[in-house]
Amino acid sequence: ETGVTQSPTHLIKTRGQQVTLRCSSQSGHNTVSWYQQALGQGPQFIFQYYREEENGRGNFPPRFSGLQFPNYSSELNVNALELDDSALYLCASSSNPRAQETQYFGPGTRLLVL
Amino acid sequence: GENVEQHPSTLSVQEGDSAVIKCTYSDSASNYFPWYKQELGKRPQLIIDIRSNVGEKKDQRIAVTLNKTAKHFSLHITETQPEDSAVYFCAASGLGDQFYFGTGTSLTVIP
């Protein structure tokens, strides 16, 4: 079992609200990537943080934002929630963003937007 | 950007038979190809990976092959068991360490 943890496990919000999801990376890892996984689909890359700076971004609007802290834990913030934001949000940590190191996933946060 | 296609979307095999899942990618700069297994309600778990400097890698009943010229890679599971039933995802990664995932293959092993 990996050391990546996420909170909360489940969340229900209404359209227009804001949400913050949290991720603690595995010990020794300085890189956190966030993914959105819609039902029946593969994970879609949102963005990556390396040493507290954004290190790449997928095709998601600016209302998806993030943060990485000095201990390398990370937050994903989503503003103005839409129904289509309902999904499993996964974070993955790795030890080096440039060497294609293995990414280890957390258990995910399941978000439902009503 | 990278585009990863995965086939088939569903696969049923008899216990003991082999299963093969295929993926293609579009970006020739991609050089790392992991495979993840995701059981219902659980996190994706890495089962095997391959880098572009090798053509094949094996770990017990699981093997992955890579053809860089054709830009495709495949997962092979031999002697399948009921506990192999899950959704399998391939992924490709290049310079930026951003993983691009396929759409998944739901594997069912029939006892």
Side-chain angles (χ1 to χ4, degrees):
Chain A
E1 193 72 9
T2 68
V4 184
T5 60
Q6 290 185 245
S7 63
T9 55
H10 295 83
L11 206 50
I12 300 175
K13 291 285 188 178
T14 55
R15 198 168 46 181
Q17 285 189 309
Q18 178 266 344
V19 68
T20 297
L21 311 181
R22 295 178 176 83
C23 172
S24 291
S25 59
Q26 185 167 312
S27 177
H29 286 183
N30 56 21
T31 304
V32 173
S33 302
W34 285 93
Y35 295 85
Q36 180 194 67
Q37 186 177 22
L39 203 60
Q41 299 294 317
Q44 297 290 317
F45 176 75
I46 303 175
F47 44 56
Q48 181 185 84
Y49 278 84
Y50 170 60
R51 292 186 175 177
E52 302 178 59
E53 303 231 343
E54 188 177 288
N55 185 49
R57 188 178 182 93
N59 190 26
F60 280 81
R63 58 189 186 84
F64 286 78
S65 63
L67 202 57
Q68 187 177 35
F69 300 98
N71 66 355
Y72 303 127
S73 65
S74 177
E75 284 183 357
L76 164 65
N77 299 291
V78 187
N79 293 323
L81 284 167
E82 300 177 0
L83 298 180
D84 284 349
D85 295 333
S86 296
L88 179 68
Y89 288 85
L90 295 160
C91 75
S93 75
S94 55
S95 58
N96 188 329
R98 292 177 178 81
Q100 282 75 51
E101 292 292 331
T102 300
Q103 294 190 2
Y104 295 94
F105 282 89
T109 294
R110 190 163 295 282
L111 172 65
L112 178 61
V113 182
L114 301 176
Chain B
E2 174 67 278
N3 181 43
V4 177
E5 294 190 357
Q6 183 172 347
H7 300 280
S9 57
T10 60
L11 180 60
S12 290
V13 299
Q14 290 291 133
E15 183 177 355
D17 286 351
S18 295
V20 180
I21 303 171
K22 298 182 179 182
C23 288
T24 61
Y25 62 99
S26 60
D27 189 350
S28 56
S30 291
N31 56 8
Y32 176 61
F33 307 92
W35 284 88
Y36 286 85
K37 175 184 180 182
Q38 188 174 29
E39 296 177 52
L40 194 62
K42 297 193 174 181
R43 74 186 77 192
Q45 298 265 18
L46 179 77
I47 55 171
I48 197 167
D49 57 10
I50 191 167
R51 298 179 194 276
S52 59
N53 56 346
V54 298
E56 183 173 359
K57 183 176 178 180
K58 203 170 181 180
D59 182 5
Q60 299 182 330
R61 297 185 298 108
I62 294 173
V64 57
T65 58
L66 171 65
N67 183 326
K68 282 221 73 175
T69 304
K71 296 199 193 74
H72 67 71
F73 56 113
S74 300
L75 177 72
H76 304 253
I77 306 174
T78 58
E79 300 171 26
T80 53
Q81 301 166 3
E83 50 265 38
D84 294 329
S85 296
V87 178
Y88 291 81
F89 292 99
C90 62
S93 174
L95 297 173
D97 199 36
Q98 299 166 18
F99 283 21
Y100 296 88
F101 283 83
T103 49
T105 296
S106 178
L107 173 65
T108 301
V109 179
I110 304 165

